[in-house]
Amino acid sequence: MKKFYLLLILFFSLIVPAQNEQLAIDYYEKGEFEKALSLLEQITVKQPSNYFYFEKIIDCYQQLAQYEKAEKAILDRKVKYNQPLLYIDLGYNYQLQKQEDKAQKQYALALKEVEKESNYAYQIGNSFEKKVLLDWALKTYETGVKGNPNLNFDYQIALLQGQLGNIESMTDKLLDYAYQKQENTPVVQNYLTRFISDEANETFLTYLKKALLIRTQKTQDVYWNQFLSWLYVQQKEYGKAFIQEKAIYKRNPDSFSNIVSLAYMAFDDNQKEEATTILQYIIENANDLSWKISAHTFLMQIKIEQANVTEYPTIKEELNTILKEYGFSPNSLGLIKLIAHFEAFNLNNPKEAIVTLNKTLELPIGNREKSEIKLELADILVYDEKFNQAILYYAQVEDNMKNDVLGHEASMKMAKANYYKNDFDWTLQQVKVLKQSASLLIANDAVELFLLIQDNSYADSTRVALTAFSKADFLLYQNKEELAMQAFISILDKYKGDTIEDATLLKIATIYSRQKQYNKALEYYKMILENHKEGIYVDEALFFQQKSTEKN
């Protein structure tokens, strides 16, 4: 029992001080300085050498305007401990009392300590930074490096120069630091991104490009080509980034994957001309078969998007030639999917597309690849108005790819299939769940579909207008834009003033935007903003209105 009580006493002797320390910090962070001070003074009696708590005590005194107490505490500590930081504490205490001369003398004494011992530079410089004494912090780091060239404060100096508005000095120091410590390049690039994204900071961007170009020419080190390529990618200047990546590839053949990634980025950002140039280069230079096939696939996708109907037979022939070259195999899945999609949605021949995809499912492919093929197959079955068959395939993917983006995508497509077949109640049940999807895109689509059905069910329990809208929407899904446009315009005439009106206006505007008839698109976006200010499509209309204005 004695041992038990002894352990119990020992336990509480450890736990109580820890609780007091946490409580003191909590009070301090909440700005309750009197309460914090009372506890901190008790703590420092037991831990007199602990500078962390001492610093908090001084700050509490200063926050409470008890400057004399702060000065006495600092001077008393100076007698006991040789800590150069105390010069800064004392100087700052004078500065708060508007005693500038006294403050500057103390700061100068702190700097002299760095002159004597360069290793103090980080600690003292950091202390100056905390008190926003930026010029003194800068002097400290520079003095430290002068005394010991092995020290590297380029990053700290760069950030200080940036805060002082010396953007060019900041840029040079950051680039020097990144080059010397290349493992920290992402940190530097992340910091530079803040300035790059600031549209008003054109001077900075110009200087950064110039500084990188000079380094590229001077050293011939691929590091600077890589950095310059990164900058061009941030600016979405993929053609310029490609020039740098080609230069890197010539000196380092292992870097070819960067060119492949660049092509995909250009494609995703809808920069089709730049993407085409890069993809052609990949086809001509890649040794990896999968890269060649992917490049051909993306290239053909661009051609399909830019082609008119009269060019479709030529494209079909070209697609078949490419497939023949690479073979009907697991390596060509992306190409096969594109061919099937083109056959159904562009050539209006879903039966041939379905045969192609069913044949693909017989190939020795993994579960994920099978799910991707089944998704495409289900999409084409929807196109062919075989909704029930499509839903079965979507359900299979949903079941096989649970907690995966493909599974969520299948769920959303299943909901859309039910919507196209006018089974609105079942669609509502599905999208209620999908609104909580981890995928923001799917969640947003689910919310939009949920609101469309819900809003147009209250006002019209027969859902006549909603049914007409879903039929028009289905024509748009089938890539029959002109028929869809006629159907949507008919809805506007027939159901003018109905709750379906704003959604219809948005669809018409979207079609005109896709057809690059931006002036007409803007007319319909304007109608949404003027006549449906409280509607759910205002944000979309504003966004697309801006995009259409930019392209006009």
Side-chain angles (χ1 to χ4, degrees), residues 18-259:
Q19 287 176 339
N20 283 344
E21 288 167 17
Q22 187 56 54
L23 189 58
I25 298 303
D26 287 345
Y27 281 139
Y28 176 82
E29 289 176 350
K30 289 176 186 175
E32 298 181 38
F33 299 111
E34 287 184 359
K35 291 179 180 177
L37 185 59
S38 175
L39 289 170
L40 287 166
E41 285 175 335
Q42 294 173 36
I43 293 165
T44 51
V45 170
K46 295 179 180 178
Q47 301 180 45
S49 62
N50 192 316
Y51 181 76
F52 174 80
Y53 292 115
F54 172 78
E55 191 179 31
K56 296 285 183 287
I57 285 174
I58 297 303
D59 193 35
C60 286
Y61 284 143
Q62 290 167 347
Q63 294 288 345
L64 297 167
Q66 297 176 7
Y67 302 116
E68 288 183 7
K69 283 187 177 182
E71 183 176 348
K72 184 178 183 306
I74 295 166
L75 292 172
D76 287 347
R77 189 174 183 88
K78 279 185 76 176
V79 173
K80 295 178 184 177
Y81 305 104
N82 178 29
Q83 292 177 308
L85 293 180
L86 295 170
Y87 289 118
I88 302 171
D89 292 333
L90 188 57
Y92 191 65
N93 199 57
Y94 288 138
Q95 187 171 318
L96 291 172
Q97 298 173 77
K98 313 286 187 201
Q99 298 176 27
E100 286 296 330
D101 289 341
K102 283 186 174 183
Q104 296 299 312
K105 283 178 184 176
Q106 293 300 317
Y107 298 152
L109 288 171
L111 192 60
K112 277 194 176 182
E113 293 295 320
V114 179
E115 290 173 5
K116 293 177 197 172
E117 177 50 71
S118 300
N119 290 331
Y120 283 149
Y122 178 79
Q123 194 179 33
I124 290 175
N126 188 48
S127 184
F128 276 129
E129 281 191 69
K130 281 182 182 177
K131 293 175 170 56
V132 201
L133 300 165
L134 305 184
D135 287 318
W136 281 103
L138 196 57
K139 286 177 190 174
T140 301
Y141 293 130
E142 289 171 345
T143 302
V145 173
K146 188 178 177 182
N148 181 1
N150 292 325
L151 294 174
N152 188 323
F153 294 113
D154 283 343
Y155 188 69
Q156 287 87 347
I157 291 170
L159 300 194
L160 288 167
Q161 294 285 15
Q163 290 176 73
L164 291 166
N166 305 323
I167 300 299
E168 292 183 5
S169 296
M170 176 199 78
T171 303
D172 288 331
K173 279 293 179 187
L174 280 174
L175 294 179
D176 290 343
Y177 173 75
Y179 187 65
Q180 289 164 15
K181 295 185 176 291
Q182 294 187 15
E183 69 275 11
N184 289 327
T185 299
V187 175
V188 172
Q189 290 175 338
N190 185 51
Y191 187 78
L192 289 172
T193 304
R194 303 179 197 178
F195 293 85
I196 293 168
S197 59
D198 184 357
E199 293 178 8
N201 227 323
E202 191 61 37
T203 308
F204 160 75
L205 194 56
T206 304
Y207 184 80
L208 178 58
K209 285 180 182 177
K210 181 183 173 184
L212 286 170
L213 283 166
I214 289 170
R215 282 167 165 77
T216 303
Q217 293 159 3
K218 271 187 179 180
T219 67
Q220 298 296 306
D221 191 324
V222 293
Y223 176 82
W224 296 117
N225 298 95
Q226 291 166 341
F227 212 121
L228 198 52
S229 175
W230 168 84
L231 177 60
Y232 287 136
V233 168
Q234 303 309 301
Q235 295 300 107
K236 300 188 185 297
E237 296 179 302
Y238 298 110
K240 291 180 180 179
F242 179 45
I243 293 168
Q244 298 303 318
E245 291 298 340
K246 278 195 294 184
I248 296 164
Y249 170 61
K250 283 175 184 175
R251 284 179 274 174
N252 178 16
D254 292 336
S255 68
F256 196 82
S257 60
N258 294 335
I259 294 176

Side-chain angles (χ1 to χ4, degrees), residues 440-492:
L440 186 61
L441 187 63
I442 289 170
N444 287 342
D445 287 347
V447 168
E448 189 174 320
L449 188 55
F450 176 82
L451 292 173
L452 173 72
I453 296 171
Q454 189 179 59
D455 291 352
N456 290 283
S457 298
Y458 287 146
D460 177 13
S461 59
T462 60
R463 292 168 168 168
V464 178
L466 181 61
T467 301
F469 184 89
S470 75
K471 285 179 180 176
D473 210 3
F474 182 60
L475 288 170
L476 194 57
Y477 173 84
Q478 290 178 307
N479 207 24
K480 299 173 183 176
E481 281 191 350
E482 291 308 317
L483 289 173
M485 177 69 87
Q486 291 170 25
F488 283 124
I489 289 172
S490 173
I491 291 168
L492 273 189

Side-chain angles (χ1 to χ4, degrees), residues 518 522 525 542-552:
Y518 300 117
L522 285 167
Y525 290 133
L542 283 168
F543 175 76
F544 287 112
Q545 183 187 52
Q546 184 181 351
K547 296 283 282 185
S548 296
T549 305
E550 287 170 1
K551 291 175 181 177
N552 200 0

